[in-house]
Amino acid sequence: MKLKHFYFNPFREHCGVISDNAGNAAIVDPGAMTADELDSLESYITAEGLKPAAILLTHAHFDHIYAVSHLQDKFNIPVYMHPDEKEVMKISAKDAARYNLPVPDTGFITTDVLDSQTICAGELRFTVIHTPGHSPGGVCYYDKADSILFSGDTLFAGTIGRSDLGGGDYDKEIVSIMEKLMVLDADTELFPGHGCCSSIGYERTNNPFLEPFNEKEELE
């Protein structure tokens, strides 16, 4: 397994390109907004000889979907997204305009994912974890074999996703994090939609937004 990190657009959105030993790749949240950003992403794919097999969307906020239509057209690959995000995607133009940013092309075709479903990309296997709260159809993608979690905007290093946007719900977000993410192995690497990387064990013990739920534990 190989993982390449990109940070795109003014929100420093985290896009991950994860590939197996045969070069089959999944692209998580391709938020490349400018021509230069898109070129950096495509240049990496070409240089590594990767064969994109899927686009995984943790949610449909505009900063996470800028390059989706282009990549789907170029590589003819499925775009996986929870069906509850379709309503979120409809207001992406309004949300982007609020920040004077370009409106993303939302004409791409999505394939629905549901909680506990397994998505395959070559030898890669991702378990879908539905985590409503930041947005109604927000999901995380868990690669158990490699101990990796792409948490989107649900859980960050030292904080949690905001829940004051359309369709957000703080109570649902806390339940999602505590009941579905904090139960994962402590050594699971956490790759959020923005900011620094972390681990489930560290956030379980130190994330101040999860107090009074934090419990001290030994990390082995």
Side-chain angles (χ1 to χ4, degrees):
M1 183 278 297
K2 187 173 183 178
L3 176 59
K4 173 70 172 178
H5 303 279
F6 294 90
Y7 290 91
F8 291 136
N9 65 61
F11 290 95
R12 296 282 293 166
E13 181 270 335
H14 175 221
C15 166
V17 180
I18 182 171
S19 53
D20 65 16
N21 293 329
N24 300 294
I27 306 171
V28 184
D29 289 353
M33 184 184 76
T34 68
D36 286 345
E37 289 176 341
L38 188 57
D39 181 66
S40 69
L41 177 59
E42 293 184 328
S43 294
Y44 172 75
I45 292 171
T46 299
E48 294 294 319
L50 300 183
K51 298 168 284 187
I55 294 173
L56 311 180
L57 294 183
T58 61
H59 62 298
H61 285 152
F62 71 93
D63 54 321
H64 289 250
I65 65 172
Y66 272 116
V68 174
S69 284
H70 173 83
L71 294 173
Q72 184 177 60
D73 289 344
K74 181 170 183 173
F75 296 111
N76 190 29
I77 53 178
V79 176
Y80 293 101
M81 185 181 79
H82 194 282
D84 288 350
E85 286 300 284
K86 292 177 182 178
E87 292 301 314
V88 173
M89 196 161 57
K90 289 179 181 179
I91 61 174
S92 61
K94 179 181 177 181
D95 287 342
R98 184 183 306 162
Y99 296 97
N100 294 316
L101 292 174
V103 175
D105 180 354
T106 58
F108 52 87
I109 298 170
T110 59
T111 299
D112 291 348
V113 296
L114 299 175
D115 192 43
S116 300
Q117 183 177 346
T118 299
I119 303 298
C120 301
E123 297 176 356
L124 302 170
R125 300 289 184 272
F126 302 94
T127 299
V128 177
I129 305 175
H130 183 210
T131 53
H134 176 67
S135 63
V139 301
C140 300
Y141 293 97
Y142 179 43
D143 176 356
K144 182 176 177 60
D146 298 304
S147 295
I148 288 173
L149 179 74
F150 293 98
S151 62
D153 288 4
T154 297
L155 177 65
F156 299 110
T159 186
I160 63 175
R162 60 187 295 182
S163 56
D164 60 337
L165 302 174
D169 187 305
Y170 173 81
D171 290 337
K172 287 182 179 180
E173 184 162 21
I174 290 296
V175 170
S176 293
I177 294 171
M178 297 309 302
E179 295 188 356
K180 294 187 174 183
L181 302 187
M182 291 299 100
V183 297
L184 299 177
D185 292 342
D187 62 354
T188 300
E189 294 184 87
L190 177 69
F191 298 114
H194 304 269
C196 300
C197 303
S198 185
S199 71
I200 288 296
Y202 186 86
E203 297 310 310
R204 185 186 294 158
T205 304
N206 296 282
N207 192 315
F209 287 85
L210 301 183
E211 293 180 350
F213 309 106
N214 300 134
E215 293 183 2
K216 298 298 180 182
E217 63 174 296
E218 293 183 6
L219 302 183
E220 299 180 354

